[in-house]
Amino acid sequence: GAVVSQHPSWVICKSGTSVKIECRSLDFQATTMFWYRQFPKQSLMLMATSNEGSKATYEQGVEKDKFLINHASLTLSTLTVTSAHPEDSSFYICSARTGANQPQHFGDGTRLSIL
Amino acid sequence: GQNIDQPTEMTATEGAIVQINCTYQTSGFNGLFWYQQHAGEAPTFLSYNVLDGLEEKGRFSSFLSRSKGYSYLLLKELQMKDSASYLCAVRDQAGANNLFFGTGTRLTVIP
């Protein structure tokens, strides 16, 4: 149980394009999902907390207009990187938990490369 | 702010025991988690401590002392496949119970 699916797993695109990443909880409902970013040899940095049916809560320093988060249902959250630039190239990982005091389970991550 | 410290790298021999330490200073505390992350992959959940003491799960054990802000992950009977990064993460009580991660400890298991 507690499977989180993330798609796509790898994206390469040109600078200036927008990229959408999907995160799905396959066998449970997740009122809260989390989006992380990880640069090479660094730890996971929380970008935002995605709440079903309401606005996401962004961490300090993360641009809301650049990283659009939508949590339209209890099993799906999307992260859209708008007008992506090479410095946005990173490993983006989502996670979800089955309940408030349960561990987070991670998707497989999306490796984003902006040329 | 949140401060979580782990050693950057460790090396251990196949079949041996290794202990990875984690110290933390956070504004709130609602549990400490250990995750394993292989290069290029997402983290996988290993263990969870919310009360003081030792939690054992097969070859992996995790210990917590809340008064000392200290935890360790113990790996027994090391196997080559245990070579990975081990992430210590603390969940705070504020807001949405976010997880704050340490920088991770890169463990290399040698024959």
Side-chain angles (χ1 to χ4, degrees):
Chain A
V3 177
V4 177
S5 172
Q6 193 171 334
H7 178 81
S9 56
W10 195 291
V11 179
I12 301 174
C13 59
K14 293 181 179 179
S15 182
T17 56
S18 293
V19 179
K20 180 185 279 189
I21 304 170
E22 291 187 350
C23 179
R24 295 181 185 271
S25 56
L26 296 187
D27 51 0
F28 65 99
Q29 294 183 329
T31 55
T32 305
M33 291 184 175
F34 303 89
W35 288 96
Y36 293 84
R37 180 167 52 185
Q38 186 177 35
F39 291 104
K41 296 189 178 181
Q42 295 186 23
S43 191
L44 283 78
M45 296 298 296
L46 180 67
M47 298 176 66
T49 302
S50 172
N51 304 299
E52 186 266 336
S54 64
K55 291 182 180 180
T57 304
Y58 289 82
E59 294 299 302
Q60 193 172 8
V62 178
E63 299 176 58
K64 301 178 184 182
D65 295 333
K66 182 166 186 63
F67 299 99
L68 300 179
I69 292 173
N70 183 275
H71 195 150
S73 76
L74 287 170
T75 58
L76 173 64
S77 175
T78 60
L79 168 68
T80 301
V81 184
T82 61
S83 187
H85 292 286
E87 57 266 28
D88 298 323
S89 298
S90 187
F91 191 46
Y92 291 86
I93 312 174
C94 73
S95 72
R97 60 182 185 216
T98 57
N101 290 317
Q102 298 303 311
Q104 291 183 23
H105 297 276
F106 288 84
D108 289 335
T110 298
R111 192 160 301 284
L112 176 62
S113 296
I114 309 298
L115 305 178
Chain B
Q2 321 293 0
N3 190 30
I4 301 169
D5 287 318
Q6 303 176 236
T8 306
E9 294 188 15
M10 296 183 72
T11 302
T13 306
E14 190 177 14
I17 299 173
V18 70
Q19 177 174 312
I20 302 174
N21 295 324
C22 172
T23 57
Y24 64 90
Q25 291 176 308
T26 55
S27 54
F29 182 83
N30 194 25
L32 187 142
F33 298 79
W34 284 95
Y35 285 84
Q36 179 191 62
Q37 186 179 26
H38 284 99
E41 299 180 12
T44 55
F45 169 70
L46 288 179
S47 69
Y48 165 59
N49 295 71
V50 66
L51 300 176
D52 291 351
L54 188 68
E55 293 284 339
E56 297 188 77
K57 262 188 172 185
R59 294 191 300 116
F60 297 86
S61 303
S62 57
F63 171 82
L64 174 68
S65 169
R66 289 171 295 170
S67 62
K68 295 181 180 178
Y70 167 69
S71 173
Y72 66 72
L73 180 70
L74 194 70
L75 291 77
K76 303 175 186 175
E77 300 170 15
L78 279 174
Q79 301 174 10
M80 299 299 291
K81 67 178 183 180
D82 296 330
S83 292
S85 285
Y86 291 85
L87 310 178
C88 171
V90 174
R91 183 170 61 195
D92 68 358
Q93 286 183 317
N97 283 330
N98 298 335
L99 273 184
F100 295 93
F101 284 85
T103 53
T105 299
R106 265 194 307 281
L107 173 67
T108 302
V109 180
I110 58 176

